[in-house]
Amino acid sequence: AHGGDTVRPPPPRVDSWDFDVCMLSKEHVATFIFSLFERLDLIARCNVDRGRMFSFVAVVAAHYRDNAYHNLWHAADVTHATYLLLRAELSKVFSPHECFALLTAALCHDVDHLGVNNKFLYSVNAPLASKFTTSALERHHCELTELMMHTLGLAVEWREGDDTTTHEERANTAERVDERNMARAEECG
């Protein structure tokens, strides 16, 4: 080092588990997340319009609140971890459409999170608790994601080649996932 400068190692690459999404500025998170879809070539392979996809990612990013945990950086971290898993092995197991769905789910899994849990929402009779009788947050995240996808022209079928799955069936799936997660949380104390 010359003149008191310190030599810093280069930042970890995006393809590393050491990559820290918290070093990204809020303005760069959407671009980073979009790049993960592109690095897996999912936008081209799923025939998704790049402009609409970038708009979708930007709109989702804008709908994350500044919560202590369920915020935009949490979404970026989960999306990055999902990207790494897909890049390593899972893209060999899943179709491009399934990989696209997994990465989208990672991005949107806590969109517009209120920073409280379902139990709190039901105990204070919050509007979401009135709208959804169970799994209010999870159903809200799912509904909002579907609305944003539809509004931006990214509405996709629930299952590749099968357009018969209803909103209620998707909500029931979310409820089963929530029940499983709640059971696991209770086991952990």
Side-chain angles (χ1 to χ4, degrees), residues 34 37-38 41-54 56 97 100 104 149 152-154 156:
F34 179 79
F37 283 88
E38 287 207 313
D41 199 27
L42 295 176
I43 295 169
R45 292 171 70 200
C46 295
N47 198 27
V48 175
D49 180 89
R50 288 182 82 246
R52 287 183 184 187
M53 185 62 195
F54 185 81
F56 171 71
H97 286 89
F100 184 91
T104 301
M149 290 183 85
L152 294 168
L154 288 178
V156 294

Side-chain angles (χ1 to χ4, degrees), residues 19-93:
F19 185 82
D20 182 7
V21 299
C22 293
M23 72 179 190
L24 298 169
S25 69
K26 190 171 187 173
E27 295 75 28
H28 292 102
V29 175
T31 303
F32 166 74
I33 292 170
F34 179 79
S35 77
L36 300 179
F37 283 88
E38 287 207 313
R39 286 171 158 276
L40 293 172
D41 199 27
L42 295 176
I43 295 169
R45 292 171 70 200
C46 295
N47 198 27
V48 175
D49 180 89
R50 288 182 82 246
R52 287 183 184 187
M53 185 62 195
F54 185 81
S55 294
F56 171 71
V57 172
V59 168
V60 170
H63 278 81
Y64 268 91
R65 297 173 186 239
D66 291 329
N67 296 325
Y69 181 73
H70 294 103
N71 56 42
L72 181 57
W73 288 270
H74 169 65
D77 194 39
V78 172
T79 306
H80 180 246
T82 304
Y83 159 80
L84 291 173
L85 291 170
L86 290 171
R87 186 178 167 279
E89 293 296 324
L90 292 181
S91 62
K92 298 173 188 168
V93 176

Side-chain angles (χ1 to χ4, degrees), residues 7-24:
V7 177
R8 293 183 185 167
R13 294 176 355 139
V14 171
D15 292 336
S16 167
W17 287 100
D18 294 327
F19 185 82
D20 182 7
V21 299
C22 293
M23 72 179 190
L24 298 169

